[in-house]
C-alpha cells in the first residue's frame, strides 16, 4: 500500500505484526540479561514512544522507566554547530544499569551525545536498544548497541513513532520513502 505525506510517497516496509514479533524477542533477551538487576530503561522521545510502550509490555522483570528529550542548541561557544542536550531525566543513574531505547540510529551522532551525557552520571553499565539501524550511514561503531530490531538501508522511513516533517508518527506500520529517479 502506498501513502503520501507532504511531498513524498511511501510504501509499506515493516508491518506492525513483524515489529511486534521482533520486539517480543528483544524483550525476552532483556529479561534474561537483566534478571535480578533492576535496570533503568530510558526512552528517547518523541520517536521511540510506540516502540517503548510495546517493548515494556513484553518485559517481565522489574524495571524503572524514564523518558528524555533531546534539546538542540545552536552557536554559542561551540564551533561545531548544533549540540544536543538530554533533558527531562529525573532518576539518578549513578551505579545503575541503564538501557537506552531509540527508534532509529542513522549516523550515530545523536547516540554519541546521549551516551556522553549518560556516562557523566557514572552508571554501572549502559546498553542501547534500537528498533532500527542504518549500518551504511553509521559513522562509528558502538559497543553499547546490544539490541537491534531491524537493520535497514539508507532509505528514509516513517511511521510507528518516526516522522516526516512532523507527520506520520501515529502510523501503525513502518513505511519507506519511494525514491524517484530524479532524486538520485
Ligand atoms: P543520527 O543522529 O544521524 O543517528 O539520527 C538520529 C535521528 O535522526 C533519529 O532519532 C531520527 O529522529 C532521525 N532520523 C534518521 N533517519 C530517519 C528516518 O529514516 N526516518 C525518520 N527519522 C530519521
Amino acid at each position: 500500500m502506498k501513502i503520501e505525506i507532504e511531498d513524498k510517497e511511501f510504501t509499506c516496509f515493516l508491518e506492525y505484526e513483524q515489529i511486534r514479533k521482533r520486539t517480543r524477542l528483544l524483550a525476552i533477551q532483556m529479561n534474561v540479561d537483566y534478571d535480578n538487576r533492576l535496570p533503568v530503561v530510558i526512552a528517547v522521545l518523541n520517536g521511540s514512544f510506540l516502540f517503548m510502550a510495546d517493548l515494556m509490555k513484553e518485559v517481565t522483570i522489574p524495571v524503572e522507566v524514564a523518558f528524555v528529550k533531546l534539546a538542540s542548541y545552536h552557536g554559542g561557544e561551540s564551533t561545531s554547530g548544533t549540540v544536543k542536550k538530554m533533558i527531562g531525566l529525573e532518576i539518578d543513574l549513578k551505579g545503575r544499569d541503564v538501557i537506552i531505547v531509540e527508534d532509529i540510529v542513522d549516523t550515530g551522532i545523536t547516540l554519541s551525545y546521549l551516551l556522553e551525557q549518560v556516562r557523566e552520571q557514572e552508571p554501572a553499565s549502559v546498553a542501547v536498544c534500537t528498533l532500527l539501524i542504518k549500518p551504511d550511514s553509521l559513522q562509528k561503531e558502538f559497543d553499547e548497541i546490544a539490541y537491534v530490531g531491524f537493520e535497514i538501508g539508507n532509505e528514509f522511513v516513517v511511521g510507528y513513532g518516526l516522522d516526516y516533517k512532523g507527520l506520520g508518527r501515529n502510523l501503525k506500520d513502518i513505511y519507506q520513502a519511494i525514491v524517484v529517479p530524479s532524486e538520485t
Side-chain angles (χ1 to χ4, degrees):
M1 191 186 84
K2 273 191 200 171
I3 59 159
E4 243 174 71
I5 301 177
E6 298 276 316
D7 55 338
K8 262 196 203 301
E9 270 200 325
F10 295 83
T11 180
C12 194
F13 175 58
L14 287 169
E15 286 186 9
Y16 178 61
E17 198 48 30
Q18 282 174 274
I19 299 169
R20 202 187 59 77
K21 281 187 186 152
R22 185 75 192 119
T23 302
R24 186 150 185 273
L25 291 179
L26 296 177
I28 289 169
Q29 192 60 50
M30 258 179 213
N31 290 335
V32 174
D33 295 346
Y34 288 88
D35 193 24
N36 290 315
R37 286 170 67 184
L38 189 57
V40 182
V41 187
I42 303 175
V44 186
L45 294 173
N46 293 328
S48 66
F49 78 109
L50 291 179
F51 177 45
M52 177 69 163
D54 283 339
L55 184 69
M56 288 302 100
K57 282 185 263 182
E58 301 289 352
V59 166
T60 52
I61 53 161
V63 293
E64 279 189 75
V65 302
F67 294 88
V68 295
K69 276 201 129 180
L70 286 172
S72 297
Y73 294 89
H74 299 274
E77 286 161 35
S78 165
T79 48
S80 57
T82 306
V83 177
K84 290 194 173 116
K85 189 163 165 49
M86 187 178 78
I87 57 169
L89 187 68
E90 286 164 358
I91 299 175
D92 182 6
L93 302 182
K94 192 174 170 68
R96 301 295 303 270
D97 291 309
V98 173
I99 305 170
I100 297 172
V101 174
E102 270 279 25
D103 52 351
I104 188 164
V105 176
D106 184 357
T107 61
I109 291 170
T110 306
L111 185 58
S112 287
Y113 282 122
L114 274 168
L115 286 169
E116 204 177 288
Q117 288 167 62
V118 165
R119 285 250 152 71
E120 280 173 11
Q121 293 201 30
E122 300 175 5
S125 70
V126 185
V128 175
C129 172
T130 184
L131 175 63
L132 305 173
I133 192 164
K134 294 180 174 173
D136 298 338
S137 297
L138 210 56
Q139 291 181 3
K140 65 173 206 177
E141 295 291 314
F142 292 92
D143 293 338
E144 295 86 352
I145 303 180
Y147 309 91
V148 173
F150 302 91
E151 290 192 358
I152 64 170
N154 283 349
E155 295 83 3
F156 192 84
V157 287
V158 73
Y160 194 67
L162 292 145
D163 77 305
Y164 174 58
K165 296 189 175 177
L167 299 172
R169 292 195 197 276
N170 56 316
L171 294 166
K172 196 169 181 180
D173 306 312
I174 294 178
Y175 295 78
Q176 190 176 57
I178 298 169
V179 182
V180 289
S182 60
E183 282 183 357
T184 55

